[in-house]
Amino acid sequence: MKIDLRSDTLTKPTPAMLEYMMQAEVGDDVYKEDPTVNALETKVAAYFGMDTALYFPTGTMANQAAIKIHTQPGEQLIADAYAHVYNYEGGGVSFNSGVSCKLLSGTRGKITAAQVAGAINPPDFYHSPLTSLVCLENTTNKGGGACYDLEEIKAIREVCNTHELGLHLDGARLWNALVATKQSPKEYGQLFDTISVCLSKGLGAPMGSVLVGKQSLMNKAIRVRKVLGGGMRQLGYMAAAGLYALEHHIERLEEDHERALALAAGLFQIDCVAHVEEVATNIIIFQIDETPRAISFLEYLKSNEVIISDMGQGKLRMVTHYDYTQAQHEHLLQLLSSF
Ligand SMILES: *Cc1c(COP(=O)(O)O)cnc(C)c1O
């Protein structure tokens, strides 16, 4: 039985999702005439209680557009050193926006209000880049699916208000955080100026992200999307997958989280596993030691068709997702306990 836990992006549309997609009413979205895209954007904006939303082909493009509308070339944003916008978007912050990153060493990808306050360049000190934006990530990807405490975000918002900084959330896996912490999406909508969310990860749509935000900022976002080549035509088929996922695939993320916890417990029992990071959502990051036993553990997984991600330096990652079934889960737990 092949078990692929490299990422929650590996999911394929379910038959019910495909059927829903096939029945979508479509139009030309560059003319804003695709009723299904419009419905998706309205739904996501309402979900967060924000003014407006815009569909993007990828989370990277949504984040890059957000950074562009918040900043001017030469300015600086503040983010954790683990941030996706810094590490995994091809250098887009500098390529697209001409902006530099002030990186902070947070805890599992999360930064504090005190750290943010300490990283702001004084606006009248013209030798330094002007700080104009703070980017948070929730859940954190490289941080192993960790979730922010809402109180910390509120404190960061206060700092941003005081210093007139924009606040963007890379919420590729915000759905996971909302399910795990029972925080309210509307509260997020009040705290952030812009939020990007992915439909193509835990929610299981084949593509798509949505950027939600305040009207004044979002008026610029549609032009940036066009510039980046993200204006698409009869997109409703894809938006339908997102609409379907929002209706049917959010609550079930709980299941992914429970399975991730059980896998972590299974890994914890294995002698060559040196450390398992605390599981908060659907990502398990663990460390193996440098013994021959660790090498045979990896070979054991491979020979049993279990595929996971190697993050380097002995760090490994498993991500649970919709296509990781109960049967696969039971089989993998069995494999772990019999190693
Ligand atoms: C996956 C991801 C994105 C966006 O990725 P795309 O592959 O471009 O959709 C952005 N931020 C985080 C934290 C992610 O995990």
XYZ file of all heavy atoms in Angstrom, residues 180-236:
417
model
N -8.128 23.795 14.602
C -7.391 23.297 15.772
C -7.589 24.178 17.004
O -7.645 23.672 18.119
C -5.902 23.188 15.453
N -7.695 25.500 16.799
C -7.756 26.409 17.961
C -9.168 26.908 18.238
O -9.390 27.548 19.259
C -6.884 27.657 17.723
O -7.415 28.347 16.578
C -5.427 27.293 17.469
N -10.095 26.649 17.318
C -11.467 27.154 17.418
C -11.504 28.696 17.467
O -12.410 29.299 18.025
C -12.200 26.547 18.618
C -12.052 25.028 18.715
C -13.360 24.368 19.044
C -13.385 22.845 18.949
N -12.246 22.125 18.399
N -10.488 29.338 16.900
C -10.508 30.802 16.792
C -11.515 31.200 15.705
O -11.895 30.382 14.873
C -9.114 31.319 16.409
C -8.066 31.113 17.488
C -6.643 31.248 16.959
O -6.411 31.292 15.758
N -5.685 31.292 17.865
N -11.912 32.472 15.744
C -12.955 32.911 14.807
C -12.341 33.579 13.567
O -11.485 34.464 13.686
C -13.893 33.878 15.539
O -14.084 35.041 14.796
N -12.777 33.171 12.374
C -12.232 33.796 11.168
C -12.510 35.298 11.118
O -11.702 36.071 10.605
C -12.950 33.067 10.023
C -14.072 32.309 10.633
C -13.738 32.091 12.071
N -13.645 35.723 11.684
C -13.997 37.155 11.662
C -13.002 37.966 12.485
O -12.692 39.099 12.164
C -15.410 37.363 12.172
C -16.446 36.624 11.320
C -17.509 37.542 10.795
C -18.378 36.961 9.707
N -18.611 35.531 9.657
N -12.507 37.353 13.551
C -11.506 38.044 14.360
C -10.227 38.266 13.538
O -9.611 39.327 13.602
C -11.209 37.234 15.625
C -10.700 38.084 16.735
C -11.150 37.607 18.119
O -11.718 36.498 18.251
O -10.908 38.348 19.062
N -9.874 37.257 12.752
C -8.716 37.409 11.855
C -8.957 38.536 10.862
O -8.064 39.319 10.554
C -8.424 36.091 11.123
C -7.553 35.164 11.928
C -8.101 34.358 12.914
C -6.180 35.123 11.735
C -7.312 33.525 13.681
C -5.376 34.308 12.502
C -5.943 33.507 13.470
O -5.151 32.698 14.242
N -10.190 38.596 10.356
C -10.535 39.628 9.386
C -10.382 41.030 9.954
O -10.069 41.976 9.233
N -10.599 41.139 11.278
C -10.455 42.457 11.905
C -9.006 42.813 12.179
O -8.638 43.981 12.208
C -11.251 42.499 13.217
C -12.743 42.695 12.972
C -13.577 42.524 14.225
O -13.037 42.408 15.318
N -14.882 42.494 14.063
N -8.182 41.800 12.399
C -6.795 42.064 12.813
C -5.846 42.326 11.635
O -4.864 43.034 11.787
C -6.274 40.890 13.640
C -6.883 40.772 15.039
C -6.555 39.430 15.678
C -6.389 41.911 15.919
N -6.143 41.719 10.479
C -5.205 41.829 9.359
C -5.728 42.778 8.278
O -6.936 42.920 8.100
C -4.940 40.444 8.755
C -4.092 39.582 9.652
C -4.683 38.732 10.583
C -2.703 39.633 9.589
C -3.906 37.964 11.434
C -1.917 38.868 10.431
C -2.522 38.017 11.359
N -4.803 43.361 7.528
C -5.189 44.191 6.382
C -5.464 43.308 5.176
O -6.342 43.599 4.365
C -4.064 45.173 6.054
C -3.797 46.114 7.218
O -4.756 46.716 7.717
O -2.634 46.209 7.650
N -4.655 42.247 5.044
C -4.846 41.278 3.963
C -4.532 39.876 4.501
O -3.675 39.716 5.378
C -3.894 41.548 2.768
O -2.569 41.730 3.268
C -4.307 42.770 1.968
N -5.260 38.893 3.954
C -5.030 37.483 4.322
C -5.062 36.664 3.034
O -5.971 36.812 2.216
C -6.151 36.946 5.255
C -6.246 37.775 6.543
C -5.929 35.464 5.576
C -7.416 37.369 7.454
N -4.056 35.797 2.848
C -4.119 34.836 1.739
C -4.452 33.460 2.307
O -3.963 33.092 3.375
C -2.792 34.781 0.983
O -1.771 34.265 1.818
N -5.324 32.746 1.616
C -5.662 31.373 2.030
C -5.559 30.447 0.813
O -5.851 30.868 -0.308
C -7.098 31.278 2.627
C -7.168 31.938 3.992
C -8.151 31.870 1.695
N -5.126 29.214 1.058
C -4.986 28.234 -0.031
C -6.171 27.273 -0.039
O -6.595 26.793 1.004
C -3.729 27.383 0.163
S -2.250 28.119 -0.536
N -6.647 26.989 -1.235
C -7.707 25.991 -1.401
C -7.114 24.645 -1.810
O -7.813 23.635 -1.831
C -8.691 26.478 -2.469
C -9.323 27.838 -2.163
C -9.959 28.440 -3.402
C -10.350 27.720 -1.041
N -5.836 24.647 -2.169
C -5.211 23.480 -2.788
C -4.356 22.662 -1.820
O -3.612 21.799 -2.232
C -4.337 23.944 -3.954
O -3.376 24.862 -3.470
N -4.473 22.940 -0.529
C -3.720 22.127 0.446
C -4.692 21.218 1.172
O -5.312 20.381 0.541
C -2.923 23.038 1.355
C -1.833 23.704 0.537
C -0.780 24.370 1.339
C 0.342 24.725 0.389
N 1.144 25.836 0.878
N -4.861 21.442 2.473
C -5.758 20.567 3.224
C -7.162 20.485 2.659
O -7.847 19.481 2.823
N -7.605 21.545 1.985
C -8.987 21.536 1.492
C -9.158 20.692 0.233
O -10.276 20.382 -0.166
C -9.493 22.965 1.236
C -9.661 23.861 2.463
C -10.533 25.062 2.136
C -10.244 23.114 3.647
N -8.069 20.363 -0.447
C -8.153 19.364 -1.512
C -8.578 19.842 -2.892
O -8.836 19.018 -3.769
N -8.659 21.150 -3.122
C -8.966 21.624 -4.480
C -7.707 21.487 -5.345
O -6.591 21.516 -4.824
C -9.438 23.080 -4.446
N -7.859 21.324 -6.660
C -6.672 21.138 -7.504
C -5.802 22.388 -7.639
O -4.624 22.286 -7.968
C -7.256 20.737 -8.869
C -8.674 21.175 -8.844
C -9.117 21.175 -7.417
N -6.368 23.543 -7.424
C -5.580 24.779 -7.475
C -6.339 25.887 -6.760
O -7.496 25.731 -6.402
C -5.325 25.208 -8.934
C -6.578 25.603 -9.685
S -6.246 26.308 -11.336
C -5.825 28.003 -10.923
N -5.640 26.995 -6.578
C -6.343 28.199 -6.162
C -6.033 28.690 -4.765
O -5.877 27.920 -3.822
N -5.924 30.005 -4.681
C -5.802 30.705 -3.410
C -6.684 31.931 -3.487
O -7.051 32.364 -4.581
C -4.349 31.139 -3.180
O -3.600 30.069 -2.671
N -7.004 32.487 -2.354
C -7.811 33.701 -2.339
C -7.107 34.719 -1.456
O -6.608 34.374 -0.375
C -9.241 33.418 -1.821
C -10.060 34.703 -1.760
C -9.943 32.384 -2.700
N -7.047 35.950 -1.936
C -6.543 37.054 -1.113
C -7.753 37.869 -0.682
O -8.551 38.289 -1.524
C -5.565 37.922 -1.925
C -4.905 39.072 -1.168
C -3.975 38.564 -0.067
C -4.128 39.982 -2.123
N -7.893 38.053 0.633
C -8.993 38.885 1.152
C -8.391 40.115 1.799
O -7.285 40.066 2.338
C -9.866 38.162 2.215
C -10.898 37.284 1.579
C -9.046 37.385 3.211
N -9.147 41.212 1.759
C -8.584 42.405 2.373
C -9.509 43.596 2.362
O -10.673 43.513 1.946
N -8.922 44.698 2.828
C -9.644 45.960 2.862
C -9.773 46.500 1.442
O -8.836 46.406 0.646
C -8.871 46.957 3.729
C -8.815 46.510 5.172
C -8.154 47.532 6.068
C -8.305 47.082 7.519
N -7.282 47.633 8.413
N -10.901 47.098 1.151
C -11.205 47.575 -0.205
C -10.113 48.473 -0.773
O -9.676 48.294 -1.915
C -12.548 48.314 -0.207
C -13.066 48.645 -1.587
C -13.510 47.387 -2.335
O -14.309 46.609 -1.823
N -12.980 47.163 -3.524
N -9.643 49.423 0.041
C -8.671 50.411 -0.449
C -7.413 49.722 -0.978
O -6.834 50.137 -1.976
C -8.314 51.387 0.670
O -7.877 50.659 1.804
N -6.985 48.643 -0.312
C -5.802 47.904 -0.751
C -6.123 47.000 -1.935
O -5.357 46.888 -2.899
C -5.280 47.028 0.389
C -4.502 47.731 1.483
C -4.455 46.861 2.726
C -3.100 48.056 1.001
N -7.274 46.363 -1.866
C -7.618 45.354 -2.868
C -7.889 45.968 -4.240
O -7.796 45.281 -5.252
C -8.817 44.525 -2.394
C -8.524 43.687 -1.164
S -7.231 42.443 -1.428
C -8.095 41.317 -2.505
N -8.231 47.263 -4.266
C -8.404 47.919 -5.566
C -7.126 47.810 -6.394
O -7.169 47.747 -7.617
C -8.739 49.405 -5.365
C -10.161 49.584 -4.852
O -10.989 48.679 -4.993
N -10.433 50.723 -4.253
N -5.964 47.785 -5.696
C -4.689 47.677 -6.402
C -4.359 46.224 -6.737
O -3.564 45.955 -7.634
C -3.558 48.230 -5.525
C -3.677 49.692 -5.172
C -2.374 50.132 -4.490
C -2.655 50.876 -3.205
N -1.478 51.066 -2.375
N -4.952 45.295 -6.000
C -4.549 43.883 -6.129
C -4.892 43.315 -7.506
O -4.140 42.513 -8.062
C -5.205 43.041 -5.030
N -6.005 43.748 -8.065
C -6.423 43.162 -9.349
C -5.458 43.569 -10.463
O -5.170 42.782 -11.365
C -7.896 43.508 -9.669
C -8.402 42.589 -10.793
C -8.081 44.981 -10.009
C -9.910 42.532 -10.903
N -4.914 44.780 -10.384
C -3.924 45.193 -11.380
C -2.632 44.388 -11.208
O -2.045 43.918 -12.187
C -3.619 46.694 -11.274
C -2.609 47.169 -12.303
C -2.209 48.616 -12.087
N -3.322 49.536 -12.243
C -3.734 50.031 -13.424
N -3.115 49.703 -14.531
N -4.748 50.849 -13.486
N -2.206 44.197 -9.958
C -0.981 43.429 -9.708
C -1.162 41.990 -10.207
O -0.267 41.418 -10.829
C -0.603 43.451 -8.211
C 0.597 42.561 -7.933
C -0.316 44.876 -7.752
N -2.341 41.423 -9.973
C -2.594 40.061 -10.451
C -2.450 40.000 -11.965
O -1.876 39.060 -12.518
C -3.991 39.589 -10.018
C -4.229 38.119 -10.317
C -5.645 37.679 -9.968
N -6.638 38.264 -10.884
C -7.936 37.948 -10.877
N -8.399 37.063 -9.976
N -8.762 38.510 -11.728
N -2.957 41.015 -12.637
C -2.849 41.071 -14.099
C -1.378 41.129 -14.518
O -0.932 40.404 -15.408
C -3.610 42.297 -14.625
C -3.597 42.444 -16.124
C -4.542 41.437 -16.763
C -4.332 41.381 -18.259
N -5.214 40.400 -18.891
N -0.620 42.002 -13.856
C 0.804 42.168 -14.178
C 1.552 40.843 -13.998
O 2.430 40.500 -14.796
C 1.441 43.274 -13.292
C 2.956 43.290 -13.453
C 0.845 44.626 -13.631
N 1.203 40.101 -12.956
C 1.882 38.837 -12.673
C 1.393 37.710 -13.588
O 1.859 36.574 -13.493
C 1.691 38.447 -11.198
C 2.328 39.398 -10.174
C 1.949 38.985 -8.754
C 3.839 39.447 -10.320
N 0.455 38.010 -14.448
C -0.045 36.997 -15.379
C -1.122 36.110 -14.783
O -1.344 35.001 -15.261
N -1.782 36.603 -13.765
C -2.766 35.780 -13.064
C -4.211 36.091 -13.404
O -5.116 35.664 -12.689
N -4.440 36.842 -14.497
C -5.823 37.072 -14.937
C -6.252 35.862 -15.750
O -5.613 35.532 -16.750
N -7.299 35.193 -15.356
C -7.700 33.948 -16.025
C -9.139 34.048 -16.525
O -9.891 34.905 -16.087
C -7.518 32.771 -15.063
C -6.036 32.558 -14.710
S -5.782 31.307 -13.436
C -6.266 32.235 -11.994
N -9.508 33.188 -17.426
C -10.798 33.322 -18.126
C -11.907 32.486 -17.482
O -12.410 32.826 -16.461
C -10.583 32.983 -19.608
C -9.500 33.841 -20.294
C -9.846 35.308 -20.338
N -8.783 36.105 -20.978
C -8.862 37.398 -21.194
N -9.928 38.077 -20.834
N -7.858 38.047 -21.767
N -12.274 31.329 -18.086
C -13.415 30.571 -17.555
C -12.959 29.750 -16.348
O -12.885 28.527 -16.357
C -14.053 29.684 -18.626
C -14.864 30.477 -19.643
C -13.991 31.313 -20.572
O -12.862 30.944 -20.877
N -14.501 32.459 -21.017
N -12.712 30.486 -15.304
C -12.066 29.946 -14.127
C -13.053 29.291 -13.166
O -12.656 28.648 -12.195
C -11.372 31.137 -13.439
C -10.406 30.905 -12.340
C -9.290 29.991 -12.814
C -9.833 32.233 -11.882
N -14.324 29.461 -13.470
C -15.361 28.974 -12.556
C -15.255 27.486 -12.258
O -15.628 27.039 -11.171
